[in-house]
Amino acid sequence: MKTKKEFPATHSMSTEWFVADQDGNIALFDFNEEGPVPEQIMGGEGGWLEDISAPDEDGINSLELTDEQAADMLKRFKPISSLSKDNEYDCIVQLKDDERVRKSFIAVFKKEIACCLSRKERIYLLNWFWDYEASEEETNKIIDFLKATCIGFYQEYFDSEQLSDDSIYPLYCYIQPYASNSEIPKRTAIPKHPLNVSQIPEEKRKELIHVPVKFSECPGLQIAQYVVCKSYYNCSSDDIEKGGRIYSRFPKTGGGFCYILQDQDIEKDGEAPIILDAEE
């Protein structure tokens, strides 16, 4: 599912991307405005599960959740009777156990299917539920496709005010507090059975950012410590100058803070972030 965020833009740095930890577990980073964004994703839109999945024989981007991951998700599903036309988006559905139903569903919803999460359990993530190109007759048959559904997962998953250790989604999540470089990105979701790089296509694994930490041990994670980032912000009184270059103050993973070089040129300065400890 891709959000309607603008990226890049002169006034906004809001975007999302994926990161893998040293155990191969995957987290989604959701950043707003002034948070540091890895330079390697600059110029492209942040993504959702489409970006770590691959098309199947139906042309649908697909993953295959483990039995445990699928079970975690399905326990939060509700009967179809709870579905209404107010539920336009932010929806995961489970199809009835019938191959003809699956084929009919894909024929109607193909443009709106963001990802097949489990072919085995017939779980699909939709961009939009009711807003799709279909005849009135097809619209009236929607309910016939479905066994159960989960509405509103996206808002719940990215609720930065409350940590969830019972996430229905198999991803860790970190959120950068809005318009603030002074706060560290906070972990807001802890999956019981995390999605691992071993579950995504090999070509997609190479595109992931990797960090030498364990998400399970990091309630806060400073991405700018591990990869060269860019930030949209005004110069701060906390910035320092050294050798004619400007370093910005950032909170560190594990506590404390450091100064990270602004506008680092990877070709000239190398791929590792240039960092000064606070005492320097």
Side-chain angles (χ1 to χ4, degrees), residues 221-275:
L221 196 152
Q222 180 55 259
I223 191 68
Q225 282 182 244
Y226 310 108
V227 293
V228 175
C229 293
K230 298 294 184 182
S231 299
Y232 174 74
Y233 53 83
N234 296 321
C235 292
S236 167
S237 59
D238 290 329
D239 292 349
I240 61 173
E241 181 178 347
K242 185 173 183 178
R245 307 186 77 175
I246 303 298
Y247 293 77
S248 295
R249 187 177 186 270
F250 284 95
K252 294 195 301 184
T253 302
F257 64 92
C258 61
Y259 291 90
I260 302 177
L261 179 66
Q262 287 187 22
D263 301 320
Q264 181 171 334
D265 186 325
I266 291 179
E267 292 186 2
K268 295 180 180 179
D269 301 318
E271 296 183 355
I274 297 177
I275 300 174

Side-chain angles (χ1 to χ4, degrees), residues 19 27 43-44 97 104 116-117 151 163 183 207 210 239 250 271:
V19 179
D97 188 8
S104 297
C116 174
L117 301 178
I151 301 292
L163 173 67
E183 297 181 71
E207 300 173 7
H210 293 262
D239 292 349
F250 284 95
E271 296 183 355

Side-chain angles (χ1 to χ4, degrees), residues 67-270:
D67 291 345
E68 293 82 4
Q69 290 165 349
D72 288 343
M73 186 171 291
L74 289 173
K75 70 180 181 181
R76 299 283 292 280
F77 275 44
K78 295 180 179 180
I80 296 305
S81 58
S82 65
L83 190 63
S84 75
K85 278 213 168 185
D86 292 332
N87 306 134
E88 294 181 355
Y89 59 93
D90 194 5
C91 185
I92 307 174
V93 299
Q94 183 184 33
L95 306 185
K96 293 178 178 178
D97 188 8
D98 187 320
E99 181 63 14
R100 291 172 299 177
V101 166
R102 190 187 68 81
K103 289 183 177 180
S104 297
F105 169 79
I106 290 175
V108 174
F109 281 94
K110 189 169 185 177
K111 290 184 179 180
E112 300 306 334
I113 298 173
C115 190
C116 174
L117 301 178
S118 172
R119 180 73 173 264
K120 178 181 178 182
E121 297 293 343
R122 310 170 309 285
I123 301 174
Y124 289 81
L125 168 64
L126 301 181
N127 289 318
W128 299 92
F129 192 74
W130 301 103
D131 183 18
Y132 65 96
E133 295 181 7
S135 67
E136 183 177 351
E137 180 180 0
E138 289 171 324
T139 300
N140 292 333
K141 293 181 179 179
I142 290 174
I143 303 303
D144 293 336
F145 296 147
L146 307 181
K147 179 178 179 181
T149 186
C150 182
I151 301 292
F153 81 95
Y154 191 80
Q155 181 177 1
E156 176 183 339
Y157 191 71
F158 292 105
D159 181 1
S160 59
E161 300 300 321
Q162 183 176 1
L163 173 67
S164 171
D165 58 1
D166 189 28
S167 173
I168 67 168
Y169 232 47
L171 292 167
Y172 286 94
C173 182
Y174 286 85
I175 294 181
Q176 171 72 31
Y178 184 77
S180 175
N181 269 337
S182 62
E183 297 181 71
I184 196 166
K186 298 175 181 178
R187 186 182 60 197
T188 60
I190 304 173
K192 288 184 177 179
H193 302 97
L195 188 73
N196 194 272
V197 294
S198 61
Q199 293 178 253
I200 70 174
E202 187 171 353
E203 63 272 19
K204 300 292 185 177
R205 301 175 198 175
K206 300 175 183 178
E207 300 173 7
L208 288 175
I209 294 167
H210 293 262
V211 292
V213 299
K214 295 183 178 182
F215 297 140
S216 61
E217 299 174 353
C218 293
L221 196 152
Q222 180 55 259
I223 191 68
Q225 282 182 244
Y226 310 108
V227 293
V228 175
C229 293
K230 298 294 184 182
S231 299
Y232 174 74
Y233 53 83
N234 296 321
C235 292
S236 167
S237 59
D238 290 329
D239 292 349
I240 61 173
E241 181 178 347
K242 185 173 183 178
R245 307 186 77 175
I246 303 298
Y247 293 77
S248 295
R249 187 177 186 270
F250 284 95
K252 294 195 301 184
T253 302
F257 64 92
C258 61
Y259 291 90
I260 302 177
L261 179 66
Q262 287 187 22
D263 301 320
Q264 181 171 334
D265 186 325
I266 291 179
E267 292 186 2
K268 295 180 180 179
D269 301 318

Side-chain angles (χ1 to χ4, degrees), residues 8-29:
T10 57
H11 63 284
S12 176
M13 290 288 288
S14 299
T15 190
E16 299 155 352
W17 69 90
F18 295 101
V19 179
D21 71 5
Q22 65 185 43
D23 291 332
N25 295 323
I26 299 176
L28 180 68
F29 275 61

